[in-house]
Amino acid sequence: MRHNKNFNHLSRKKAHRDALLANMTISLIMHKRIFTTLAKAKALRMYAEPLINRAKEDTMANRRLVFSYLQNKYAVTELFREISQKIADRNGGYTRILKTGNRLGDNAQMCFIELVDYNEAMLKPKEAKKEGRTRRSRRSSKPAAAPAAEAPVEKELPAAE
């Protein structure tokens, strides 16, 4: 029986899927944001978030465990040095998926997956709106003045040949 064993296999065998998700996790850690399909991003989130959660506690056992998944010492160093400092007070939800539309070639749903604490545009505090002018109707509150009479326009007649 296969009760409660549903996750996206991404049309790949296990070794290929593990290599794909490890490489995507390394790219996410190094670049903080990657552009991929929605299905891969959702699978990546399930793979990467437990590894990011391990980085909160910097022990040799956690470093070795994360390295066993990623096989990239630069990504592990980046994760345990910089990223762990930013996520120290966060309880979960380290990644954000933003849909960007469909790919032209095969109409696959595309998205960004990014680390939440590294998006500078979304971290800025909301500024209070400036008091600007409000929209006014074209009618003025004054009574309308009578329009000035226009001078009749004389039309030139075509010259007879």
Side-chain angles (χ1 to χ4, degrees):
M1 284 191 254
R2 55 175 310 278
H3 295 304
N4 202 18
K5 289 184 68 176
N6 48 347
F7 64 93
N8 197 342
H9 295 279
L10 300 174
S11 300
R12 289 161 171 83
K13 298 201 172 166
K14 180 165 176 31
H16 188 183
R17 190 172 53 247
D18 287 344
L20 170 83
L21 292 173
N23 286 331
M24 289 178 71
T25 304
I26 291 167
S27 296
L28 180 65
I29 289 169
M30 299 305 280
H31 301 292
K32 313 303 187 262
R33 170 191 277 193
I34 56 174
F35 186 68
T36 184
T37 61
L38 186 62
K40 286 180 187 175
K42 287 180 177 181
L44 175 63
R45 181 172 52 187
M46 290 174 52
Y47 187 88
E49 289 212 5
L51 297 179
I52 295 171
N53 197 29
R54 287 266 177 192
K56 283 184 174 182
E57 188 181 349
D58 190 4
T59 63
M60 186 60 71
N62 284 346
R63 280 182 179 262
R64 286 179 174 169
L65 194 139
V66 170
F67 183 78
S68 72
Y69 283 93
L70 299 183
Q71 297 293 313
N72 186 317
K73 63 182 178 181
Y74 301 112
V76 172
T77 303
E78 175 84 10
L79 178 63
F80 278 88
R81 278 198 187 146
E82 276 112 47
I83 296 174
S84 66
Q85 302 301 319
K86 285 207 171 193
I87 63 159
D89 57 340
R90 186 176 287 278
N91 290 329
Y94 308 113
T95 57
R96 175 186 297 125
I97 295 176
L98 299 168
K99 295 178 185 174
T100 58
N102 293 347
R103 187 162 51 196
L104 288 178
D106 59 355
N107 210 31
Q109 287 183 311
M110 299 301 286
C111 66
F112 283 113
I113 182 168
E114 65 185 3
L115 295 176
V116 170
D117 295 319
Y118 282 89
N119 189 337
E120 301 301 327
M122 289 193 169
L123 290 178
K124 290 181 184 173
K126 301 275 182 178
E127 298 169 359
K129 286 191 172 183
K130 294 186 232 171
E131 281 296 322
R133 289 192 270 162
T134 59
R135 290 192 103 173
R136 303 280 184 204
S137 66
R138 289 185 170 214
R139 289 186 228 141
S140 66
S141 58
K142 300 176 190 174
E150 294 181 15
V153 177
E154 294 181 20
K155 292 183 181 178
E156 260 185 60
L157 294 174
E161 293 179 24

